[in-house]
Structures are given as structure tokens and as C-alpha cells.
Amino acid sequence: MKALKVGDDKDQKVLISKYQGKLYATGNFCSHFGVPLEGGYLIDDQVLCPAHLAGFSSSAGEIERAPGLDGLPTFPIVEKDGAFYVQVPKDGLPKKKSQALTKRDPENKTHFVIVGGGPAGLNCAETLRQSGFSGQITVLTKEYTVPYDRTL
């Protein structure tokens, strides 16, 4: 992996990684705390953050391992005359790629009950919606505060 500067600001970088002979470009900053990923690790297709080991797909930018909160933006790489170029948006680099959440469908009668409204319960509910679940979700909790982010 290597960070590639694509703008004037120090944080305008993309992360270039190579997996199975193909180059990929993603955002260079972890969606958890914004730590630069260039100092992390590439294991197979997974980029691991050096701070808390959040994992992201180098090819798709999707979050694959907590405590990352969102995915990474991806950018196409094109080859021209033996050279490779990253296509980045003219209006700036996005920091993250929010995961789409499926909306509740009243026709779907499937019902999940999550016991505990802490970080694990919240993550469970979010994962269900990110995975396309449109049924009912109920969270049973006696916590008095909203869930918070906790490292591994």
C-alpha cells in the first residue's frame, strides 16, 4: 500500500493498494477516528487501520471489521500508455462512504428483538439494516445513555 497525494492539502491523499495483481484506490483515512491508513496493514483484500484495526475492503471500500463506522470512498484507476491514473472528483475527496440503510417495510412480518441497547446492540441493529433487513427491530434496554463508540 502507498498513499498518493492528489491535491494541495496534506490530507488530500488516496490509498493505492494491490491485490491479486490489480490496483485499487480508496480513501486514505479511517472512518473511525480519521487515522491515515497508509501506516496500516494489507492482508489479502483487507486494509487494517494502524490505530484500532478497523478493516476495509481495498477493492470495494466496504467496512469489514469494527470499530470502523462507515466504508471508504473508492476511485477508479485507469491505465494509459503503461501509466496508471486515479480519477478523483473535482469537488474534493469524500472522507467516507456511508453504508445504505434499508427502510422498514410494514409488509415484512419478521421481527428481531435485540437485548441490550449498548454499542453491541446498536451495531446489531445497524448491521441488520445495512444487510437489507426490512422487518421490525425492537431493542430492549435499561441503559440511560445512548450507545457510544468503543474500541476493540
Side-chain angles (χ1 to χ4, degrees), residues 7-44:
D8 296 331
D9 294 339
K10 66 178 181 176
D11 61 342
Q12 288 184 313
K13 293 180 180 180
V14 296
L15 185 69
I16 306 297
S17 46
K18 189 174 187 178
Y19 177 63
Q20 294 185 338
K22 187 169 180 192
L23 293 174
Y24 297 96
T26 63
N28 185 47
F29 300 97
C30 180
S31 63
H32 179 232
F33 274 160
V35 174
L37 295 171
E38 63 195 86
Y41 311 95
L42 180 64
I43 300 175
D44 292 326

mmCIF file of all heavy atoms in Angstrom, residues 7-44:
data_model
loop_
_atom_site.group_PDB
_atom_site.id
_atom_site.type_symbol
_atom_site.label_atom_id
_atom_site.label_comp_id
_atom_site.label_asym_id
_atom_site.label_seq_id
_atom_site.Cartn_x
_atom_site.Cartn_y
_atom_site.Cartn_z
ATOM 1 N N GLY A 7 -3.890 16.357 -4.231
ATOM 2 C CA GLY A 7 -4.319 17.751 -4.117
ATOM 3 C C GLY A 7 -3.284 18.563 -3.372
ATOM 4 O O GLY A 7 -2.210 18.069 -3.014
ATOM 5 N N ASP A 8 -3.621 19.810 -3.097
ATOM 6 C CA ASP A 8 -2.687 20.715 -2.434
ATOM 7 C C ASP A 8 -2.608 20.508 -0.925
ATOM 8 O O ASP A 8 -1.563 20.711 -0.318
ATOM 9 C CB ASP A 8 -3.069 22.170 -2.733
ATOM 10 C CG ASP A 8 -2.935 22.507 -4.211
ATOM 11 O OD1 ASP A 8 -2.073 21.888 -4.876
ATOM 12 O OD2 ASP A 8 -3.691 23.365 -4.703
ATOM 13 N N ASP A 9 -3.714 20.123 -0.303
ATOM 14 C CA ASP A 9 -3.727 19.939 1.146
ATOM 15 C C ASP A 9 -3.061 18.634 1.533
ATOM 16 O O ASP A 9 -3.077 17.664 0.773
ATOM 17 C CB ASP A 9 -5.164 19.954 1.689
ATOM 18 C CG ASP A 9 -5.829 21.312 1.536
ATOM 19 O OD1 ASP A 9 -5.098 22.309 1.387
ATOM 20 O OD2 ASP A 9 -7.071 21.354 1.554
ATOM 21 N N LYS A 10 -2.494 18.610 2.759
ATOM 22 C CA LYS A 10 -1.779 17.411 3.217
ATOM 23 C C LYS A 10 -2.693 16.197 3.374
ATOM 24 O O LYS A 10 -2.245 15.069 3.276
ATOM 25 C CB LYS A 10 -1.050 17.685 4.519
ATOM 26 C CG LYS A 10 -1.978 17.966 5.691
ATOM 27 C CD LYS A 10 -1.213 18.186 6.968
ATOM 28 C CE LYS A 10 -2.200 18.446 8.101
ATOM 29 N NZ LYS A 10 -1.556 18.576 9.367
ATOM 30 N N ASP A 11 -3.980 16.444 3.607
ATOM 31 C CA ASP A 11 -4.888 15.311 3.778
ATOM 32 C C ASP A 11 -5.635 14.947 2.491
ATOM 33 O O ASP A 11 -6.575 14.172 2.525
ATOM 34 C CB ASP A 11 -5.860 15.553 4.931
ATOM 35 C CG ASP A 11 -6.752 16.757 4.735
ATOM 36 O OD1 ASP A 11 -6.421 17.610 3.892
ATOM 37 O OD2 ASP A 11 -7.772 16.860 5.429
ATOM 38 N N GLN A 12 -5.216 15.473 1.379
ATOM 39 C CA GLN A 12 -5.801 15.100 0.092
ATOM 40 C C GLN A 12 -4.970 13.964 -0.500
ATOM 41 O O GLN A 12 -4.156 14.149 -1.398
ATOM 42 C CB GLN A 12 -5.873 16.292 -0.851
ATOM 43 C CG GLN A 12 -6.933 17.293 -0.446
ATOM 44 C CD GLN A 12 -7.043 18.414 -1.444
ATOM 45 O OE1 GLN A 12 -6.044 18.984 -1.872
ATOM 46 N NE2 GLN A 12 -8.267 18.739 -1.818
ATOM 47 N N LYS A 13 -5.200 12.773 0.056
ATOM 48 C CA LYS A 13 -4.480 11.584 -0.365
ATOM 49 C C LYS A 13 -5.457 10.452 -0.589
ATOM 50 O O LYS A 13 -6.493 10.371 0.066
ATOM 51 C CB LYS A 13 -3.488 11.140 0.714
ATOM 52 C CG LYS A 13 -2.349 12.088 0.960
ATOM 53 C CD LYS A 13 -1.440 11.525 2.044
ATOM 54 C CE LYS A 13 -0.276 12.427 2.323
ATOM 55 N NZ LYS A 13 0.590 11.859 3.383
ATOM 56 N N VAL A 14 -5.106 9.574 -1.503
ATOM 57 C CA VAL A 14 -5.822 8.323 -1.676
ATOM 58 C C VAL A 14 -4.846 7.202 -1.357
ATOM 59 O O VAL A 14 -3.627 7.383 -1.409
ATOM 60 C CB VAL A 14 -6.401 8.155 -3.109
ATOM 61 C CG1 VAL A 14 -7.437 9.221 -3.390
ATOM 62 C CG2 VAL A 14 -5.318 8.169 -4.152
ATOM 63 N N LEU A 15 -5.387 6.068 -1.005
ATOM 64 C CA LEU A 15 -4.567 4.908 -0.690
ATOM 65 C C LEU A 15 -4.584 3.969 -1.889
ATOM 66 O O LEU A 15 -5.653 3.556 -2.339
ATOM 67 C CB LEU A 15 -5.120 4.189 0.547
ATOM 68 C CG LEU A 15 -4.287 3.029 1.061
ATOM 69 C CD1 LEU A 15 -2.977 3.540 1.654
ATOM 70 C CD2 LEU A 15 -5.067 2.242 2.094
ATOM 71 N N ILE A 16 -3.403 3.659 -2.397
ATOM 72 C CA ILE A 16 -3.277 2.725 -3.510
ATOM 73 C C ILE A 16 -2.861 1.376 -2.930
ATOM 74 O O ILE A 16 -1.901 1.293 -2.170
ATOM 75 C CB ILE A 16 -2.209 3.200 -4.529
ATOM 76 C CG1 ILE A 16 -2.487 4.634 -4.990
ATOM 77 C CG2 ILE A 16 -2.117 2.235 -5.708
ATOM 78 C CD1 ILE A 16 -3.775 4.826 -5.738
ATOM 79 N N SER A 17 -3.594 0.349 -3.274
ATOM 80 C CA SER A 17 -3.231 -0.996 -2.825
ATOM 81 C C SER A 17 -3.315 -1.953 -4.003
ATOM 82 O O SER A 17 -4.020 -1.706 -4.978
ATOM 83 C CB SER A 17 -4.101 -1.452 -1.661
ATOM 84 O OG SER A 17 -5.446 -1.192 -1.894
ATOM 85 N N LYS A 18 -2.562 -3.020 -3.898
ATOM 86 C CA LYS A 18 -2.531 -4.020 -4.962
ATOM 87 C C LYS A 18 -2.966 -5.349 -4.380
ATOM 88 O O LYS A 18 -2.422 -5.801 -3.371
ATOM 89 C CB LYS A 18 -1.117 -4.129 -5.528
ATOM 90 C CG LYS A 18 -0.997 -4.975 -6.760
ATOM 91 C CD LYS A 18 0.416 -4.893 -7.298
ATOM 92 C CE LYS A 18 0.531 -5.601 -8.631
ATOM 93 N NZ LYS A 18 1.897 -5.480 -9.168
ATOM 94 N N TYR A 19 -3.959 -5.955 -5.016
ATOM 95 C CA TYR A 19 -4.468 -7.245 -4.576
ATOM 96 C C TYR A 19 -4.686 -8.121 -5.801
ATOM 97 O O TYR A 19 -5.345 -7.705 -6.749
ATOM 98 C CB TYR A 19 -5.780 -7.061 -3.798
ATOM 99 C CG TYR A 19 -6.420 -8.349 -3.370
ATOM 100 C CD1 TYR A 19 -5.781 -9.206 -2.483
ATOM 101 C CD2 TYR A 19 -7.653 -8.726 -3.868
ATOM 102 C CE1 TYR A 19 -6.368 -10.408 -2.092
ATOM 103 C CE2 TYR A 19 -8.248 -9.919 -3.482
ATOM 104 C CZ TYR A 19 -7.599 -10.746 -2.599
ATOM 105 O OH TYR A 19 -8.172 -11.935 -2.217
ATOM 106 N N GLN A 20 -4.098 -9.303 -5.792
ATOM 107 C CA GLN A 20 -4.182 -10.254 -6.892
ATOM 108 C C GLN A 20 -3.832 -9.609 -8.229
ATOM 109 O O GLN A 20 -4.509 -9.794 -9.236
ATOM 110 C CB GLN A 20 -5.551 -10.921 -6.936
ATOM 111 C CG GLN A 20 -5.820 -11.793 -5.728
ATOM 112 C CD GLN A 20 -7.133 -12.546 -5.817
ATOM 113 O OE1 GLN A 20 -8.048 -12.156 -6.543
ATOM 114 N NE2 GLN A 20 -7.232 -13.624 -5.062
ATOM 115 N N GLY A 21 -2.777 -8.792 -8.213
ATOM 116 C CA GLY A 21 -2.261 -8.183 -9.434
ATOM 117 C C GLY A 21 -3.016 -6.968 -9.932
ATOM 118 O O GLY A 21 -2.671 -6.411 -10.969
ATOM 119 N N LYS A 22 -4.029 -6.525 -9.213
ATOM 120 C CA LYS A 22 -4.825 -5.372 -9.652
ATOM 121 C C LYS A 22 -4.681 -4.227 -8.657
ATOM 122 O O LYS A 22 -4.627 -4.445 -7.453
ATOM 123 C CB LYS A 22 -6.303 -5.762 -9.791
ATOM 124 C CG LYS A 22 -7.141 -4.669 -10.405
ATOM 125 C CD LYS A 22 -8.520 -5.132 -10.772
ATOM 126 C CE LYS A 22 -9.264 -3.945 -11.378
ATOM 127 N NZ LYS A 22 -10.657 -4.158 -11.520
ATOM 128 N N LEU A 23 -4.619 -2.999 -9.182
ATOM 129 C CA LEU A 23 -4.508 -1.808 -8.341
ATOM 130 C C LEU A 23 -5.887 -1.272 -7.970
ATOM 131 O O LEU A 23 -6.807 -1.270 -8.803
ATOM 132 C CB LEU A 23 -3.731 -0.709 -9.069
ATOM 133 C CG LEU A 23 -2.257 -0.985 -9.325
ATOM 134 C CD1 LEU A 23 -1.658 0.121 -10.189
ATOM 135 C CD2 LEU A 23 -1.498 -1.115 -8.017
ATOM 136 N N TYR A 24 -5.997 -0.800 -6.725
ATOM 137 C CA TYR A 24 -7.236 -0.209 -6.224
ATOM 138 C C TYR A 24 -6.908 1.098 -5.520
ATOM 139 O O TYR A 24 -5.846 1.250 -4.924
ATOM 140 C CB TYR A 24 -7.938 -1.154 -5.236
ATOM 141 C CG TYR A 24 -8.373 -2.444 -5.872
ATOM 142 C CD1 TYR A 24 -7.583 -3.587 -5.781
ATOM 143 C CD2 TYR A 24 -9.574 -2.520 -6.572
ATOM 144 C CE1 TYR A 24 -7.980 -4.772 -6.372
ATOM 145 C CE2 TYR A 24 -9.968 -3.707 -7.166
ATOM 146 C CZ TYR A 24 -9.171 -4.831 -7.066
ATOM 147 O OH TYR A 24 -9.569 -5.991 -7.651
ATOM 148 N N ALA A 25 -7.837 2.040 -5.574
ATOM 149 C CA ALA A 25 -7.675 3.321 -4.886
ATOM 150 C C ALA A 25 -8.878 3.557 -3.983
ATOM 151 O O ALA A 25 -10.026 3.467 -4.418
ATOM 152 C CB ALA A 25 -7.556 4.467 -5.895
ATOM 153 N N THR A 26 -8.598 3.828 -2.705
ATOM 154 C CA THR A 26 -9.644 4.135 -1.731
ATOM 155 C C THR A 26 -9.248 5.393 -0.978
ATOM 156 O O THR A 26 -8.134 5.896 -1.119
ATOM 157 C CB THR A 26 -9.817 2.993 -0.699
ATOM 158 O OG1 THR A 26 -8.597 2.855 0.043
ATOM 159 C CG2 THR A 26 -10.190 1.690 -1.349
ATOM 160 N N GLY A 27 -10.143 5.864 -0.131
ATOM 161 C CA GLY A 27 -9.794 6.944 0.769
ATOM 162 C C GLY A 27 -8.672 6.489 1.696
ATOM 163 O O GLY A 27 -8.554 5.297 2.000
ATOM 164 N N ASN A 28 -7.866 7.414 2.165
ATOM 165 C CA ASN A 28 -6.700 7.081 2.983
ATOM 166 C C ASN A 28 -6.957 7.222 4.476
ATOM 167 O O ASN A 28 -6.065 6.969 5.270
ATOM 168 C CB ASN A 28 -5.519 7.973 2.577
ATOM 169 C CG ASN A 28 -4.240 7.608 3.301
ATOM 170 O OD1 ASN A 28 -3.874 6.444 3.381
ATOM 171 N ND2 ASN A 28 -3.569 8.598 3.847
ATOM 172 N N PHE A 29 -8.161 7.610 4.876
ATOM 173 C CA PHE A 29 -8.394 7.894 6.285
ATOM 174 C C PHE A 29 -9.499 7.006 6.853
ATOM 175 O O PHE A 29 -10.571 6.867 6.275
ATOM 176 C CB PHE A 29 -8.728 9.376 6.486
ATOM 177 C CG PHE A 29 -7.601 10.259 6.023
ATOM 178 C CD1 PHE A 29 -7.620 10.826 4.764
ATOM 179 C CD2 PHE A 29 -6.509 10.481 6.837
ATOM 180 C CE1 PHE A 29 -6.574 11.618 4.329
ATOM 181 C CE2 PHE A 29 -5.450 11.269 6.407
ATOM 182 C CZ PHE A 29 -5.480 11.834 5.155
ATOM 183 N N CYS A 30 -9.209 6.411 8.005
ATOM 184 C CA CYS A 30 -10.142 5.509 8.677
ATOM 185 C C CYS A 30 -11.416 6.262 9.057
ATOM 186 O O CYS A 30 -11.356 7.397 9.541
ATOM 187 C CB CYS A 30 -9.473 4.921 9.920
ATOM 188 S SG CYS A 30 -10.525 3.792 10.845
ATOM 189 N N SER A 31 -12.550 5.615 8.874
ATOM 190 C CA SER A 31 -13.830 6.255 9.201
ATOM 191 C C SER A 31 -14.098 6.257 10.702
ATOM 192 O O SER A 31 -15.053 6.859 11.155
ATOM 193 C CB SER A 31 -14.976 5.543 8.475
ATOM 194 O OG SER A 31 -15.092 4.203 8.904
ATOM 195 N N HIS A 32 -13.246 5.631 11.482
ATOM 196 C CA HIS A 32 -13.424 5.589 12.928
ATOM 197 C C HIS A 32 -12.895 6.873 13.571
ATOM 198 O O HIS A 32 -13.656 7.633 14.144
ATOM 199 C CB HIS A 32 -12.731 4.355 13.504
ATOM 200 C CG HIS A 32 -12.843 4.229 14.980
ATOM 201 N ND1 HIS A 32 -11.754 4.037 15.784
ATOM 202 C CD2 HIS A 32 -13.904 4.269 15.808
ATOM 203 C CE1 HIS A 32 -12.140 3.950 17.043
ATOM 204 N NE2 HIS A 32 -13.446 4.102 17.083
ATOM 205 N N PHE A 33 -11.585 7.125 13.468
ATOM 206 C CA PHE A 33 -11.002 8.333 14.059
ATOM 207 C C PHE A 33 -10.219 9.169 13.050
ATOM 208 O O PHE A 33 -9.499 10.078 13.432
ATOM 209 C CB PHE A 33 -10.079 7.981 15.222
ATOM 210 C CG PHE A 33 -10.772 7.835 16.549
ATOM 211 C CD1 PHE A 33 -10.170 7.146 17.583
ATOM 212 C CD2 PHE A 33 -12.017 8.391 16.783
ATOM 213 C CE1 PHE A 33 -10.794 7.003 18.807
ATOM 214 C CE2 PHE A 33 -12.654 8.265 17.999
ATOM 215 C CZ PHE A 33 -12.034 7.556 19.018
ATOM 216 N N GLY A 34 -10.284 8.841 11.775
ATOM 217 C CA GLY A 34 -9.581 9.627 10.761
ATOM 218 C C GLY A 34 -8.092 9.358 10.675
ATOM 219 O O GLY A 34 -7.348 10.139 10.089
ATOM 220 N N VAL A 35 -7.637 8.264 11.244
ATOM 221 C CA VAL A 35 -6.214 7.914 11.218
ATOM 222 C C VAL A 35 -5.809 7.559 9.790
ATOM 223 O O VAL A 35 -6.539 6.853 9.098
ATOM 224 C CB VAL A 35 -5.949 6.718 12.168
ATOM 225 C CG1 VAL A 35 -4.517 6.226 12.057
ATOM 226 C CG2 VAL A 35 -6.276 7.100 13.595
ATOM 227 N N PRO A 36 -4.635 8.032 9.321
ATOM 228 C CA PRO A 36 -4.176 7.656 7.980
ATOM 229 C C PRO A 36 -3.961 6.146 7.876
ATOM 230 O O PRO A 36 -3.301 5.542 8.718
ATOM 231 C CB PRO A 36 -2.850 8.409 7.818
ATOM 232 C CG PRO A 36 -2.920 9.531 8.791
ATOM 233 C CD PRO A 36 -3.736 9.020 9.945
ATOM 234 N N LEU A 37 -4.505 5.558 6.840
ATOM 235 C CA LEU A 37 -4.407 4.119 6.652
ATOM 236 C C LEU A 37 -3.090 3.688 6.029
ATOM 237 O O LEU A 37 -2.749 2.504 6.054
ATOM 238 C CB LEU A 37 -5.579 3.618 5.799
ATOM 239 C CG LEU A 37 -6.956 3.774 6.438
ATOM 240 C CD1 LEU A 37 -8.051 3.453 5.423
ATOM 241 C CD2 LEU A 37 -7.075 2.889 7.664
ATOM 242 N N GLU A 38 -2.336 4.630 5.492
ATOM 243 C CA GLU A 38 -1.084 4.280 4.832
ATOM 244 C C GLU A 38 -0.092 3.609 5.784
ATOM 245 O O GLU A 38 0.799 2.891 5.353
ATOM 246 C CB GLU A 38 -0.442 5.513 4.202
ATOM 247 C CG GLU A 38 -0.063 6.581 5.228
ATOM 248 C CD GLU A 38 0.228 7.918 4.598
ATOM 249 O OE1 GLU A 38 -0.735 8.684 4.398
ATOM 250 O OE2 GLU A 38 1.412 8.192 4.309
ATOM 251 N N GLY A 39 -0.236 3.817 7.089
ATOM 252 C CA GLY A 39 0.634 3.166 8.062
ATOM 253 C C GLY A 39 0.075 1.854 8.564
ATOM 254 O O GLY A 39 0.632 1.248 9.476
ATOM 255 N N GLY A 40 -1.007 1.400 7.977
ATOM 256 C CA GLY A 40 -1.671 0.169 8.415
ATOM 257 C C GLY A 40 -1.155 -1.051 7.692
ATOM 258 O O GLY A 40 -0.010 -1.091 7.239
ATOM 259 N N TYR A 41 -2.020 -2.019 7.565
ATOM 260 C CA TYR A 41 -1.636 -3.314 7.015
ATOM 261 C C TYR A 41 -2.590 -3.720 5.916
ATOM 262 O O TYR A 41 -3.776 -3.420 5.966
ATOM 263 C CB TYR A 41 -1.688 -4.380 8.121
ATOM 264 C CG TYR A 41 -0.971 -3.951 9.375
ATOM 265 C CD1 TYR A 41 -1.679 -3.355 10.416
ATOM 266 C CD2 TYR A 41 0.401 -4.109 9.503
ATOM 267 C CE1 TYR A 41 -1.025 -2.941 11.570
ATOM 268 C CE2 TYR A 41 1.061 -3.690 10.652
ATOM 269 C CZ TYR A 41 0.343 -3.111 11.673
ATOM 270 O OH TYR A 41 0.988 -2.690 12.799
ATOM 271 N N LEU A 42 -2.061 -4.430 4.935
ATOM 272 C CA LEU A 42 -2.882 -5.008 3.872
ATOM 273 C C LEU A 42 -2.771 -6.520 3.989
ATOM 274 O O LEU A 42 -1.694 -7.088 3.805
ATOM 275 C CB LEU A 42 -2.415 -4.553 2.493
ATOM 276 C CG LEU A 42 -3.196 -5.091 1.306
ATOM 277 C CD1 LEU A 42 -4.644 -4.605 1.328
ATOM 278 C CD2 LEU A 42 -2.536 -4.699 -0.004
ATOM 279 N N ILE A 43 -3.871 -7.164 4.345
ATOM 280 C CA ILE A 43 -3.915 -8.618 4.452
ATOM 281 C C ILE A 43 -4.983 -9.103 3.487
ATOM 282 O O ILE A 43 -6.169 -8.820 3.674
ATOM 283 C CB ILE A 43 -4.210 -9.065 5.899
ATOM 284 C CG1 ILE A 43 -3.111 -8.546 6.821
ATOM 285 C CG2 ILE A 43 -4.343 -10.576 5.966
ATOM 286 C CD1 ILE A 43 -3.330 -8.817 8.287
ATOM 287 N N ASP A 44 -4.536 -9.795 2.452
ATOM 288 C CA ASP A 44 -5.401 -10.177 1.337
ATOM 289 C C ASP A 44 -6.042 -8.904 0.788
ATOM 290 O O ASP A 44 -5.351 -7.994 0.408
ATOM 291 C CB ASP A 44 -6.439 -11.221 1.760
ATOM 292 C CG ASP A 44 -5.798 -12.563 2.093
ATOM 293 O OD1 ASP A 44 -4.794 -12.915 1.453
ATOM 294 O OD2 ASP A 44 -6.300 -13.245 2.986
#
